[in-house]
Amino acid sequence: MSLLYATHARVHLGNIRDNLRAIRAAVGPERKVLVAVKANGYGHGAVEVSRMAEATGTADWLGVATVPEGLQLREAGLRLPILKLGPTFPWEMRAAIEAGLTLAICSREEAEALAAAVAEANRPASVHLKVDTGMGRIGVSPAEAPELARLIVGLPGVVLEGVFTHLPVSDAADVTYTREQILRFRITAGLVQEAAGRRLLVHCANSGAVLGHDSAWLDMVRPGIMVYGFRPDPETPATIPLKPGMSLLTRVSFVKKVARGTSIGYGRTWVAPVDTNVATIPAGYADGFNRLFSNRGRVLIGGRSYPVVGRVCMDQSMVDLGPETDVKVGDEVVLMGPSGELVIPCEEWAARLGTITYEVTCQVNPRVVRIYDPY
Ligand SMILES: Cc1ncc(COP(=O)(O)O)c(C=O)c1O
């Protein structure tokens, strides 16, 4: 299989399982774990990651961003509860209810539209009330949350099951804002439960809070990036051991001798300073090997590091092998991951590209086939 797909992502499902086990061990058996599998499991494969989590009992909930993401999981046979983390348009509600998705409710209008969809579908729906305690994105204000909870419990067929919020700086070294936010949320969650007249599933901890704020763990934690092996920020404390969820690989497709003064690739941005050997690899920006790696990236071949030379093309890139080389067509090339004693971590991509690990793994395009390690 991997020979047919020269450029492929190897997804280390065993590492992802171990990360989930480490999270469970840290937060304790009394808490539930929701694994964020939105955006195709941060690029790792939502269905495969969810199936592994369900089969190994390492997660209790799955988190998605869109209704189609939830439907995809149900169509793949997943039975774990699925929370759609953002608001839902009225016209999406019926499909979501029929798939048994749990919806985040952010406003009175949304709650009322859901009640209408529930009546139409003739099926009840579970919801979690989303409170904006300081993210500034979606959700009801803490002041209005108890009233909205009261309204929801009065709606026939709508079951209020949880209340949650989101933390924008839980990954930062300065803990002041997050500590205040957690306190505000705990007070609000208490008032919401009083208004609802029942105990709810209370949750707010993303990876930053799982790693750095145990007062945020509450009834359930909602890690994403750390499940895939990365801390959300280099500043976040490394309190739980994590293993990378993905390596990116390709193979050498062409090798040539290049005379000093020869230009390489579009724009002629690199000119060989000495007689050398240049390899071509069948990976480019259409695969997620970002064009910003032009003359700045590196790859590993046989445990040695080689620089990208010239511009990264859509489907191919070039690397300088140096004047003496035994690299040949078909040799394995590591774009991200380990090779011999060396490793190119996802964090290195993020730093060189001026982005975060989240975007790096999400940017691995659908053309790059995912090959799953057994777990
Ligand atoms: C509402 C919500 N909860 C949890 C997560 C997981 O966050 P992280 O990947 O930082 O752990 C996200 C992702 O952005 C989210 O939007």
Side-chain angles (χ1 to χ4, degrees):
M1 171 103 154
S2 64
L3 283 174
L4 267 187
Y5 297 98
T7 303
H8 64 276
R10 192 145 218 131
V11 179
H12 310 304
L13 281 179
N15 286 356
I16 296 173
R17 175 206 56 205
D18 289 350
N19 294 338
L20 280 169
R21 284 195 178 141
I23 293 166
R24 266 206 193 284
V27 303
E30 69 279 18
R31 294 193 168 86
K32 301 211 176 297
V33 175
L34 176 150
V35 52
V37 293
K38 62 200 176 99
N40 196 29
Y42 291 39
H44 296 70
V47 167
E48 290 78 5
V49 169
S50 301
R51 279 192 180 138
M52 178 278 294
E54 189 170 282
T56 55
T58 46
D60 306 290
W61 281 75
L62 305 169
V64 299
T66 68
V67 172
E69 286 182 343
L71 300 187
Q72 183 198 23
L73 297 178
R74 286 287 180 248
E75 279 158 19
L78 284 146
R79 304 172 61 144
L80 285 176
I82 299 173
L83 177 62
K84 181 178 172 292
L85 297 160
T88 304
F89 293 111
W91 53 88
E92 297 177 317
M93 286 177 173
R94 180 134 186 207
I97 296 165
E98 285 171 353
L101 306 185
T102 303
L103 299 182
I105 293 292
C106 303
S107 69
R108 180 189 188 101
E109 294 71 26
E110 201 185 0
E112 285 166 350
L114 183 65
V118 158
E120 209 183 285
N122 199 23
R123 257 189 77 160
S126 289
V127 302
H128 291 202
L129 181 62
K130 176 72 187 272
V131 189
D132 184 1
T133 58
M135 171 73 182
R137 187 167 64 179
I138 53 167
V140 65
S141 71
E144 292 167 319
E147 190 192 326
L148 182 54
R150 221 170 284 120
L151 174 108
I152 294 171
V153 292
L155 295 171
V158 180
V159 183
L160 182 60
E161 184 188 28
V163 55
F164 72 115
T165 196
H166 197 46
L167 308 170
V169 285
S170 60
D171 56 348
D174 183 347
V175 296
T176 322
Y177 188 84
T178 302
R179 287 208 178 140
E180 281 169 13
Q181 218 192 333
I182 294 165
L183 203 59
R184 191 154 57 243
F185 176 58
R186 292 175 80 126
I187 293 166
T188 306
L191 296 173
V192 163
Q193 290 177 99
E194 240 172 63
R198 73 173 71 133
R199 180 83 175 83
L200 301 172
L201 195 61
V202 181
H203 52 103
C204 70
N206 50 5
S207 294
V210 172
L211 288 161
H213 294 270
D214 55 6
S215 64
W217 294 350
L218 306 173
D219 298 327
M220 177 160 85
V221 294
R222 291 196 318 265
I225 195 70
M226 68 182 296
V227 174
Y228 305 103
F230 313 112
R231 279 178 291 147
D233 189 277
E235 277 190 1
T236 317
T239 47
I240 298 177
L242 300 172
K243 304 176 182 175
M246 183 192 283
S247 299
L248 268 182
L249 303 146
T250 188
R251 290 184 186 279
V252 174
S253 59
F254 193 75
V255 179
K256 63 175 176 287
K257 284 198 175 305
V258 165
R260 176 170 169 261
T262 307
S263 67
I264 296 293
Y266 287 122
R268 306 189 62 219
T269 60
W270 189 80
V271 175
V274 293
D275 291 353
T276 189
N277 294 282
V278 169
T280 301
I281 57 175
Y285 58 79
D287 300 293
F289 195 62
N290 199 292
R291 194 165 173 277
L292 293 172
F293 283 142
S294 301
N295 292 309
R296 290 181 64 214
R298 66 178 185 126
V299 304
L300 305 176
I301 307 173
R304 290 187 58 188
S305 180
Y306 299 98
V308 171
V309 290
R311 286 205 183 132
V312 170
C313 314
M314 183 184 285
D315 318 296
Q316 305 182 73
S317 307
M318 283 69 82
V319 297
D320 182 12
L321 301 173
E324 300 294 329
T325 188
D326 54 5
V327 170
K328 56 188 186 313
V329 168
D331 284 358
E332 186 180 83
V333 179
V334 173
L335 306 173
M336 184 167 72
S339 172
E341 302 286 295
L342 301 183
V343 61
I344 299 179
C346 184
E347 289 86 345
E348 179 178 308
W349 277 46
R352 285 196 188 191
L353 298 173
T355 184
I356 50 177
T357 52
Y358 299 68
E359 194 183 23
V360 170
T361 61
C362 286
Q363 261 180 7
V364 178
N365 286 350
R367 179 167 79 178
V368 179
V369 74
R370 272 68 168 167
I371 295 178
Y372 291 90
D373 285 346
Y375 57 89

